[in-house]
Amino acid sequence: MSLASVMAPVPVPTPSPGRVAPPVPRADPSPALREEPRVAKMVVEDLSAWYGRRKVLHGVSLPFVKDAVTAIIGPSGCGKSTLIRCLNRMHEIQPGAAQSGRVLLDGRDIHGGHLDPIELRRRVGMVFQKPNPFPTMSVRDNVLAGWRLTGTRPKDPDAVVEDALRRAALWVEVKDRLKAPGGSLSGGQAQRLCIARALAVAPEVLLMDEPCSALDPIATARIEELIHELAPTVTIVIVTHNMQQAARVSAYTAFLYMGELVEFAETAGLFTRPADPRTEDYITGRFG
Amino acid sequence: MDAWLYPPPPQRTVSPRLRWRRLADRLFRGAVVASVVVVLAPLAAVLATVIAKGAPALDLAFLTHLPKPVGETGGGVGHAILGTLFLALGGLGIAVPVGVPAGVFLASDRMPRLAGVVRMCADVLAGVPSIVVGLFAYTLLVMPFRQFSALSGAFALAVIMLPTIVRTTEEVVRLVPPTLTEAALALGAPRWRAMLGVVLPSAGKGVAAGIIAAFSRGAGETAPLMFTAFGSQFLSWNLLQPIAALPLVLFNYAVSPYEDWHAQAWAAALVLVVLVLVANLVARYATARRSA
C-alpha cells in the first residue's frame, strides 16, 4: 500500500523526499488494514505555526485517515499539541499565534470561507489533556453543552445524553446522578465525561490531546478501549507521550521532532522498522 | 520483646544566634499584634459608640414609622430605610449591566490598549471624591429637569459603585481556569456564549460578592445624594421625585437643634452600620465559599 492510496481521493500533499517514509508494505497485513481503500478525512499541507516569533511547526504535511486512529508522538515541546490545535482552529485563539499552509477537511480548506470556526469545531471535536468538565453544570448539562453553547437543541436531549454517555462508557456509572455537578466525578470519569461531551454533537473527527496523561492506569485502559470502540465511526487523532499507548491504539503514527515531521507510517511498521534513525532513537528510548 | 531503642535526645544548646532569632521573633510578633490593635480599635470604638447611643432610640416603630412633625416625639425612619434600599438597588440596576461586562472585557485580555484606558478610568473614578460625583449627577440629571429625584440619586450611587464592580469582576473572572474557556470554544461556542454560559457562572459567586460590596459602599454614601435624591419626609417610590435615604436623615437630624432628633440620628447611624455590615458579611461568606 502506498501513501498515495491513503490520500485518495483528495489532493495528495507531496511530502518532501526523505522526510516522510512511505509505509512499509507488510508481509501479512491484518484484515482490518486490507479492507476498502482508505480516504483521508483531514490533511495538513506544509503547515507551519508560530507563537509570536517562535516557530513551533516547520512545514508539516500529513494525512489523517478516515475512521482510523492516528497517533502523534514525539518529545515534549515538539509541536504535537500545536499540530492538533491547528486542526480545529484552536491554535489561532491564542494571542500572537500564526500559521501558514493548509488544513483540509474532506478535501476543503478549513480556512476557506465556506466553514466558520464554530461549524468546524462541531465537526472536529476535542478532548484536552486535563479533564475540564464545566463545574457549574450538571453531568447531563455537560453532555449537552456542545448543543447549548452553540444555541441549538437536540430533538431528544435524553437520548443524546444516554447515547453519548454510553459511547463514552460512562453511562452505567453516572446514570443515577445525572444531576450531580460536573466537578463531582473522579479524574477518569471526568475525562470520559469530556469525551461524552465531545461525542454528543456527533463530530466526524475527534482530537485527543494526551487524554490519559492525568489518569491512572485503569482509567487509561478504559479510555483506550473506548478509542477502539469509537474508531470505526470517528476519525481519531491522538497526541500521546506514551509510545506503548500509540502502539496499542493507533493504526497510523506520526513522529514529530522539533516541529518537523520525521516519519509517518502505519503504526506496526513505524515501531518495528523505523525508516529514520531519529525515530529509532526515540522509540528505543535514547532521547525524549 | 525488648523495648525499642531510641537515640539519645539531642543536647539543648542555645547559641547566641538562636537566642537573637527568638528575641526578634518575639519583637515582630509584638509589633504585628500592636498594629492589629491600632487598626481594630477605631472600628471597635465606632461600633461601641453607635450601639451605645443608637440602641436606646431603636425600636420597631423607629424602623417602620414615618417621621413626626417637629415638636412631636416619636416617629421613625422607615421611609429612609426603604429609600436607601431603593436608591442602592437602583444604583446597582445601572452599575451592574455596565460594570460586569466591562470587568469581563478587562479579564479577556483583548484589545489591550482600550482595556488599559478602561482600567485607568475605573481607577480614577474610584478616586473621585463622592461630592464631585454628586455634583456631576446634579448637572446631568437634576438641573435639566429642575427637580431633585430618586433617579439622579441612583445614578450618582451607580457612578460610586461602578469601579468596585468592574475591578472585582475582572479579578474573579481571571481566576476561572482558561481551560474552561478553551473547552467551550472547542465545542464550537462563540466567545460571547462561552463567557455567558461557562465563564461567568463559574465566577458567579465572586461577581456576586463584588456586587454586594458595591451595594454596601453605595448604601453608606451621603455626599452624592445631597444634591440628587435630596431627602424627603415621606415614603415615595417615584423615580422622578426626591426620596429619603438613611445617610441624609442622619445628616439632617444630627445638625438639627432638637434633642430627640439627635437620638434618632444615632439610631439611624446604627441601622446604617448594621445594614452595611450585614451586606459585607454576606459578601465575605460568598467569597469564602467560592474559594473553598
Side-chain angles (χ1 to χ4, degrees):
Chain A
M1 193 197 73
S2 73
L3 189 59
S5 79
V6 168
M7 314 292 296
V10 298
V12 182
T14 33
S16 39
R19 270 243 209 101
V20 178
V24 183
R26 297 181 352 153
D28 178 28
S30 65
L33 287 176
R34 219 187 301 122
E35 282 166 16
E36 58 184 298
R38 255 137 287 163
V39 175
K41 181 72 184 172
M42 294 194 83
V43 174
V44 299
E45 289 178 357
D46 195 25
L47 183 71
S48 297
W50 291 260
Y51 289 104
R53 308 175 89 184
R54 199 162 53 89
K55 193 173 183 183
V56 291
L57 278 183
H58 302 269
V60 170
S61 298
L62 165 81
F64 297 99
V65 175
K66 185 169 162 43
D67 299 341
V69 180
T70 303
I72 301 173
I73 60 170
S76 292
C78 69
K80 306 184 295 287
S81 295
T82 307
L83 173 57
I84 72 163
R85 292 172 71 92
C86 286
L87 298 181
N88 65 346
R89 296 182 63 175
M90 286 295 284
H91 174 64
E92 66 199 53
I93 68 169
Q94 272 136 324
Q99 68 184 77
S100 72
R102 296 209 299 164
V103 179
L104 309 180
L105 173 64
D106 288 335
R108 299 184 72 185
D109 193 336
I110 62 170
H111 290 93
H114 69 287
L115 192 64
D116 70 359
I118 290 166
E119 177 61 23
L120 172 71
R121 290 175 195 149
R122 272 191 86 134
R123 292 173 62 186
V124 182
M126 190 166 200
V127 175
F128 294 83
Q129 179 171 2
K130 224 177 121 208
N132 52 5
F134 298 129
T136 53
M137 297 184 192
S138 66
V139 169
R140 183 176 188 277
D141 289 346
N142 261 285
V143 178
L144 291 173
W147 290 84
R148 302 241 168 102
L149 290 172
T150 49
T152 50
R153 43 179 42 249
K155 269 197 199 109
D156 186 354
D158 292 324
V160 167
V161 170
E162 181 173 345
D163 181 57
L165 287 171
R166 276 191 194 283
R167 291 175 74 194
L170 189 60
W171 174 251
V172 178
E173 286 158 72
V174 301
K175 66 171 191 273
D176 296 322
R177 44 187 185 133
L178 293 175
K179 294 232 164 73
S184 67
L185 303 182
S186 74
Q189 290 175 328
Q191 190 63 303
R192 276 177 283 147
L193 178 61
C194 293
I195 294 174
R197 181 174 69 187
L199 291 176
V201 291
E204 300 155 37
V205 181
L206 189 60
L207 309 174
M208 306 180 100
D209 190 356
E210 297 182 36
C212 302
S213 64
L215 304 182
D216 68 44
I218 295 171
T220 301
R222 302 215 56 161
I223 305 263
E224 287 181 11
E225 265 171 53
L226 177 58
I227 292 171
H228 271 295
E229 284 159 27
L230 294 174
T233 51
V234 184
T235 306
I236 294 177
V237 183
I238 179 171
V239 164
T240 177
H241 264 121
N242 180 331
M243 282 173 281
Q244 286 75 24
Q245 182 172 63
R248 281 192 301 264
V249 302
S250 70
Y252 301 90
T253 298
F255 172 54
L256 231 59
Y257 183 59
M258 302 201 10
E260 283 181 41
L261 179 64
V262 174
E263 190 163 347
F264 170 71
E266 282 180 29
T267 299
L270 187 130
F271 279 102
T272 51
R273 283 182 294 275
D276 191 291
R278 288 172 295 178
T279 313
E280 185 169 354
D281 285 351
Y282 183 67
I283 62 180
T284 53
R286 236 164 281 171
F287 69 86
Chain B
M1 282 293 276
D2 286 344
W4 290 95
L5 287 178
Y6 292 104
Q11 279 195 316
R12 285 189 167 269
T13 52
V14 179
S15 69
R17 180 192 283 264
L18 184 57
R19 193 168 299 153
W20 161 242
R21 282 196 192 163
R22 284 183 180 166
L23 182 66
D25 178 55
R26 237 169 271 155
L27 281 175
F28 275 101
R29 194 176 301 194
V32 169
V33 169
S35 58
V36 167
V37 170
V38 168
V39 169
L40 287 184
L43 177 65
V46 166
L47 281 179
T49 314
V50 170
I51 291 171
K53 299 212 174 188
L58 195 65
D59 53 24
L60 192 63
F62 181 78
L63 295 177
T64 53
H65 285 195
L66 293 181
K68 291 270 168 64
V70 183
E72 280 185 54
T73 52
V77 293
H79 66 312
I81 294 173
L82 291 174
T84 283
L85 290 177
F86 188 67
L87 284 169
L89 291 178
L92 285 183
I94 302 170
V96 168
V98 180
V100 171
V104 170
F105 165 69
L106 291 184
S108 71
D109 281 328
R110 313 213 110 202
M111 296 188 261
R113 203 166 286 182
L114 179 61
V117 172
V118 171
R119 202 172 286 127
M120 199 188 73
C121 287
D123 286 349
V124 169
L125 198 56
V128 171
S130 55
I131 188 96
V132 176
V133 173
L135 281 173
F136 171 61
Y138 177 78
T139 45
L140 203 69
L141 286 173
V142 176
M143 292 234 288
F145 299 102
R146 305 185 168 277
Q147 172 79 48
F148 294 113
S149 65
L151 179 67
S152 60
F155 175 78
L157 291 188
V159 175
I160 299 281
M161 294 166 166
L162 196 57
T164 312
I165 294 178
V166 172
R167 295 314 295 267
T168 50
T169 302
E170 177 185 0
E171 272 167 43
V172 297
V173 168
R174 272 187 197 285
L175 291 179
V176 176
T179 52
L180 285 185
T181 319
E182 283 206 330
L185 293 177
L187 283 169
R191 261 183 193 279
W192 65 270
R193 225 182 248 280
M195 272 292 160
L196 278 186
V198 174
V199 178
L200 257 191
S202 303
K205 280 181 177 158
V207 174
I211 291 173
I212 295 168
F215 173 88
S216 68
R217 169 92 208 276
E221 286 289 341
T222 318
L225 299 179
M226 295 173 103
F227 325 119
T228 53
F230 191 69
S232 156
Q233 295 293 93
F234 311 105
L235 190 60
S236 159
W237 299 115
N238 191 334
L239 268 178
L240 302 176
Q241 292 293 322
I243 192 169
L246 272 176
L248 291 174
V249 168
L250 207 169
F251 178 75
N252 290 332
Y253 281 18
V255 299
S256 76
Y258 312 111
E259 270 308 310
D260 58 330
W261 278 20
H262 289 175
Q264 293 205 340
W266 281 109
L270 179 56
V271 172
L272 188 60
V273 167
V274 168
L275 191 75
V276 169
L277 210 62
V278 166
N280 270 315
L281 288 179
V282 170
R284 271 286 158 107
Y285 181 68
T287 7
R289 289 271 302 253
R290 177 180 53 82
S291 56

